[in-house]
Amino acid sequence: MNTAITIGVAGHVDHGKTTLVKALTGIDTDRKAEEKARGLSIESGVAELRMADGHSVALIDVPGHTDFLKNTIRGLNSVDLAMLVVAADDGVMPQTREHLEILKFFDVRAGMVVLTKTDLVDPETLELARMEVDDLLAGTFLEQRPLFMFNNKQPELGKAIVSGIQAAIASVAGKQTDRPFRMWIDQVKSIAGHGTVVSGTVSSGRIRCNDTVALLPAGIQTRARSLQTHACSVSHAVAGQRVGINLHRVPLDKVQRGMSLGIADEILPILMLNADIHVLADTARGIKNRQRVKVYIGTSVTSAMIVLMDGDVLAPGRNGLVQIRLKHPVPVMARDTLVISPLNLRTVIAGGRVLEVTRQKYRSAKSMTVRPVLSMLQKGDVDAYIENNLVQQKGRLVTAKSLAAKTGLPPSVFERTINSRVQKGEWIYFKGQGAIAANRLQALQKEFGDVVDQVFARDPMKKKVGLAEIAEVLEDRIDDVLLRHVADALLRENKLIRLDGGYRPVSLPERPSDGRPQEDTIAAFVMDYIERSGLTPVSPGYFSKRHPSKLNKAKAVRLFDYLHQQKRLVRLNDNRYLSCAAMDEIKQRVARAIQAKGHITLFDCKEVLGYGRSGGAHVLDYLNAIGFTVRREDKHYLQKDGG
């Protein structure tokens, strides 16, 4: 069975959800004095249910009163199973229906129904209640699901419900542990001696003690000082588990419900998203174009404007493509589910799924380009989406990771398609960087070569042309990585030669160098200076400031690059340089440190290299790039150990 499953206990107010949860777990989820006084749940409560096999699941008891709809939606946002509770003496009520719709919008696909208070009705009324429930569930994910009876006078009925839970969770896939860590925050508190603690259900991935995470949308970097699940300290937590996380050096006033924790590079706060939504059939007027609403995503709630992509009104019972423009940034990802309510009413009118996040406002003039892409995402048409991406992103290499980030689909879906095309020779793959269609690469090579020829035709006395100058002339904007691959291909085909960091057609003779002995003397001086700098990288700009009589900055840049091309210097990605001997020493030190500790992080750079994170980051990036080390999250391992 899955070991990390969360069950949403939903239903109308006063239908016995909290009583049922207490009977199953021994835990009263109504903890606030106001909840005790009013006899109803205000906040969602969490209770651990221990199963016979030793595993546990989390029961989320959500408020049933319409006044607390926001807390209900937050509580149900990440559940895997539904337990819909209906009182036999009341039958199906407004919030019974509304909670079922919320569960459907959150893509819950399995669960059960519990008829409570069965001791208060006669057999005929009980049968009527069952029939009413059957009518409600017809055509929903709960149709034909188990129905259980319960009342306070027969607590032994709870055993059958627990057995039903055990059977149900065995068929649930659960959440993805192989995706980046992410968790919506639904509880925030401060604990004396510990500081700020946030709680929620892990939506994807896993988290370990001391992992670095980002508090979004605030963008605050922090780390998980400690973790707890159901009041027990743990070393890690995985997707599907309820977890409390003690945040390092984050004041309480910087955190609130509706925020999320995640990996900063993977999730970005956005203001616009394109979505596929469904308007409930019993909504009075549907949704008008540019209508203001409230949008619930995860535990976040914000006002927004709905821009319809077809017509002026999305009628009740209809589906439609829309752009949602949020008032405040929310850390949203493609395939996130959402719920919509009117701006000033506590009721659900629509819901759906995010198809893509975007920075472009939808205009009707863009309909012919935007709508087909959204249709591909609706259908999950991977091949068509990749083809479209190639056309729209002509100047970039395609990676399964980037496509997964855009669509919310698993990277493996795109890996299969990309690998298939590479094997057929239709695409060219550059290890660790991405792929491009072979015919597109050939077209780029021809255009690149033509641009170089044009530059020298205009200026026959020109010595070389750099990548930046070539990029400005090309028809499409090309990423630097792809541009270098195109240039390298032309070098291999002997159509270009490399010259002092630039390029020159093979067909043109090289202009003689003026004052070559003087250049050699300066090059020797530079090499001596860098070698004496030891493990500390040197930039051309810094060198020219220290020795302005030797070289100005422009000449220093060209000379440093030339020495790099001659393999006499090592260039880091911040355009600072080291001697080859210094890099050999760095490799030895890093290897020793990893062998001693198992891995290193940026925090170890001061001890290993003699300088801090800002300089060490570029050195570690270089070691990763050449395959000496490999990075996993914030840790670096030797390649042979890192896999």
Side-chain angles (χ1 to χ4, degrees):
M1 61 168 280
N2 296 291
T3 58
I5 295 293
T6 303
I7 300 175
V9 184
H12 195 76
V13 64
D14 199 32
H15 275 205
K17 297 187 299 298
T18 303
T19 300
L20 173 62
V21 170
K22 186 175 182 180
L24 297 178
T25 67
I27 298 171
D28 185 354
T29 55
D30 282 351
R31 295 182 173 89
K32 293 181 177 291
E34 186 180 356
E35 291 176 320
K36 297 292 187 186
R38 297 179 62 173
L40 52 81
S41 299
I42 297 174
E43 301 276 359
S44 293
V46 182
E48 180 188 23
L49 174 62
R50 279 280 171 184
M51 309 302 290
D53 60 4
H55 292 116
S56 69
V57 296
L59 300 183
I60 311 294
D61 175 18
V62 303
H65 197 289
T66 188
D67 285 354
F68 311 111
L69 177 66
K70 177 166 66 174
N71 292 338
T72 300
I73 296 174
R74 281 174 162 166
L76 295 177
N77 87 90
S78 57
V79 302
D80 304 293
L81 279 167
M83 184 185 292
L84 187 64
V85 177
V86 183
D89 58 340
D90 264 354
V92 172
M93 296 292 282
Q95 268 54 65
T96 315
R97 299 180 184 276
E98 188 161 62
H99 288 198
L100 180 60
E101 296 294 353
I102 294 169
L103 289 163
K104 288 193 291 185
F105 285 139
F106 282 142
D107 201 26
V108 180
R109 301 184 184 184
M112 65 195 67
V113 180
V114 180
L115 273 177
T116 57
K117 304 187 180 183
T118 56
D119 59 318
L120 302 181
V121 298
D122 56 38
E124 183 178 347
T125 304
L126 182 60
E127 184 59 27
L128 287 173
R130 290 190 62 153
M131 293 171 61
E132 193 173 20
V133 167
D134 287 342
D135 288 342
L136 172 68
L137 302 182
T140 75
F141 71 95
L142 285 177
E143 185 178 22
Q144 302 298 320
R145 297 290 182 177
L147 185 147
F148 298 94
M149 305 292 179
F150 180 78
N151 66 73
N152 240 0
K153 294 181 179 179
Q154 295 177 282
E156 66 274 10
L157 294 173
K159 294 180 181 179
I161 297 174
V162 173
S163 296
I165 292 173
Q166 185 101 27
I169 61 181
S171 62
V172 175
K175 296 179 173 62
Q176 295 175 311
T177 58
D178 59 346
R179 300 299 301 277
F181 167 75
R182 190 182 188 204
M183 186 189 84
W184 290 99
I185 296 171
D186 57 30
Q187 293 180 13
V188 183
K189 57 187 174 183
S190 180
I191 298 178
H194 294 275
T196 302
V197 175
V198 299
S199 299
T201 302
V202 181
S203 303
S204 63
R206 60 182 64 239
I207 186 168
R208 302 175 184 84
C209 286
N210 293 315
D211 275 358
T212 299
V213 291
L215 179 65
L216 302 168
I220 298 172
Q221 289 281 349
T222 181
R223 64 180 175 85
R225 292 178 59 188
S226 61
L227 307 173
Q228 281 196 344
T229 61
H230 301 298
C232 295
S233 295
V234 293
S235 61
H236 69 281
V238 300
Q241 281 186 298
R242 292 286 308 177
V243 63
I245 304 176
N246 182 199
L247 300 181
H248 179 61
R249 291 185 177 178
V250 177
L252 186 65
D253 61 1
K254 297 294 184 182
V255 191
Q256 59 186 10
R257 283 188 296 179
M259 288 182 163
S260 74
L261 291 176
I263 308 301
D265 294 340
E266 302 284 348
I267 311 168
L268 297 176
I270 58 96
L271 287 168
M272 289 185 290
L273 55 93
N274 295 329
D276 178 15
I277 68 170
H278 173 76
V279 181
L280 295 179
D282 57 359
T283 301
R285 301 181 182 85
I287 293 180
K288 295 179 180 179
N289 187 34
R290 307 184 78 81
Q291 180 175 331
R292 302 281 179 174
V293 297
K294 279 185 182 177
V295 175
Y296 301 78
I297 303 175
T299 58
S300 72
V301 187
T302 185
S303 56
M305 181 170 69
I306 304 291
V307 177
L308 303 181
M309 294 190 184
D310 186 18
D312 295 323
V313 177
L314 188 56
R318 299 294 300 274
N319 282 59
L321 294 173
V322 302
Q323 182 169 94
I324 301 177
R325 299 176 185 172
L326 305 170
K327 183 176 181 180
H328 302 291
V330 178
V332 179
M333 296 182 73
R335 300 191 69 76
D336 279 354
T337 51
L338 57 90
V339 171
I340 299 170
S341 70
L343 204 57
N344 299 310
L345 292 175
R346 297 188 187 96
T347 185
V348 173
I349 59 172
R353 183 181 296 278
V354 178
L355 295 176
E356 65 174 2
V357 297
T358 180
R359 298 183 184 276
Q360 301 295 321
K361 284 189 175 181
Y362 175 78
R363 311 288 187 193
S364 57
K366 298 179 180 178
S367 176
M368 297 306 293
T369 57
V370 174
R371 287 176 63 90
V373 176
L374 298 181
S375 179
M376 295 169 199
L377 293 173
Q378 278 179 307
K379 299 172 184 175
D381 191 338
V382 173
D383 284 349
Y385 183 80
I386 291 177
E387 288 295 338
N388 180 81
N389 196 267
L390 284 173
V391 173
Q392 299 299 324
Q393 304 286 342
K394 292 181 179 179
R396 304 185 67 178
L397 292 171
V398 172
T399 68
K401 183 178 179 180
S402 65
L403 293 173
K406 288 181 181 180
T407 63
L409 296 169
S412 58
V413 171
F414 296 102
E415 286 169 358
R416 285 194 294 269
T417 299
I418 292 173
N419 291 341
S420 172
R421 297 189 177 192
V422 170
Q423 289 170 3
K424 293 176 182 177
E426 297 172 0
W427 285 21
I428 306 298
Y429 177 70
F430 298 104
K431 186 176 180 180
Q433 296 174 326
I436 186 172
N439 57 3
R440 172 60 181 158
L441 183 61
Q442 291 168 0
L444 274 176
Q445 289 174 205
K446 183 179 185 307
E447 186 182 2
F448 189 106
D450 290 345
V451 167
V452 173
D453 289 342
Q454 292 165 15
V455 168
F456 283 95
R458 289 194 302 267
D459 183 5
M461 297 301 293
K462 193 176 184 70
K463 184 177 181 181
K464 64 178 181 178
V465 59
L467 278 182
E469 187 177 349
I470 296 170
E472 288 180 3
V473 183
L474 292 173
E475 181 180 351
D476 299 305
R477 186 184 181 280
I478 311 297
D479 279 359
D480 289 344
V481 171
L482 178 56
L483 204 57
R484 282 194 288 271
H485 282 303
V486 172
D488 289 344
L490 292 171
L491 289 170
R492 288 193 300 270
E493 294 175 8
N494 202 33
K495 294 179 179 179
L496 293 181
I497 59 172
R498 203 193 306 266
L499 185 65
D500 294 346
Y503 300 89
R504 185 177 178 85
V506 171
S507 57
L508 291 177
E510 184 178 346
R511 292 176 61 233
S513 173
D514 298 326
R516 186 71 187 180
Q518 181 184 2
E519 290 182 10
D520 289 342
T521 301
I522 295 174
F525 181 83
V526 168
M527 286 300 302
D528 180 65
Y529 181 86
I530 292 178
E531 286 168 357
R532 285 188 287 108
S533 298
L535 304 189
T536 303
V538 178
S539 72
Y542 179 78
F543 177 84
S544 65
K545 286 180 181 179
R546 295 292 302 271
H547 302 282
S549 62
K550 298 286 185 183
L551 290 172
N552 60 33
K553 183 177 179 180
K555 289 183 178 179
V557 169
R558 290 196 294 271
L559 180 56
F560 275 57
D561 186 67
Y562 170 76
L563 293 172
H564 167 64
Q565 297 297 336
Q566 296 295 310
K567 302 189 184 304
R568 296 167 67 186
L569 290 181
V570 172
R571 180 167 60 196
L572 305 179
N573 60 13
D574 62 345
N575 288 320
R576 292 191 300 164
Y577 295 78
L578 287 161
S579 69
C580 296
M583 181 51 67
D584 288 341
E585 172 65 19
I586 286 173
K587 288 179 180 179
Q588 293 176 25
R589 292 191 181 193
V590 168
R592 286 196 298 268
I594 294 176
Q595 287 163 357
K597 185 179 177 182
H599 65 265
I600 64 169
T601 69
L602 286 177
F603 295 102
D604 300 311
C605 287
K606 184 69 176 177
E607 179 181 350
V608 176
L609 304 177
Y611 39 83
R613 299 173 60 187
S614 58
H618 301 292
V619 171
L620 293 181
D621 284 346
Y622 175 82
L623 294 178
N624 292 333
I626 65 172
F628 183 76
T629 54
V630 60
R631 177 178 176 176
R632 292 190 301 177
E633 297 179 350
D634 61 339
K635 299 178 178 66
H636 300 259
Y637 304 83
L638 290 178
Q639 179 66 42
K640 62 181 180 181
D641 299 324

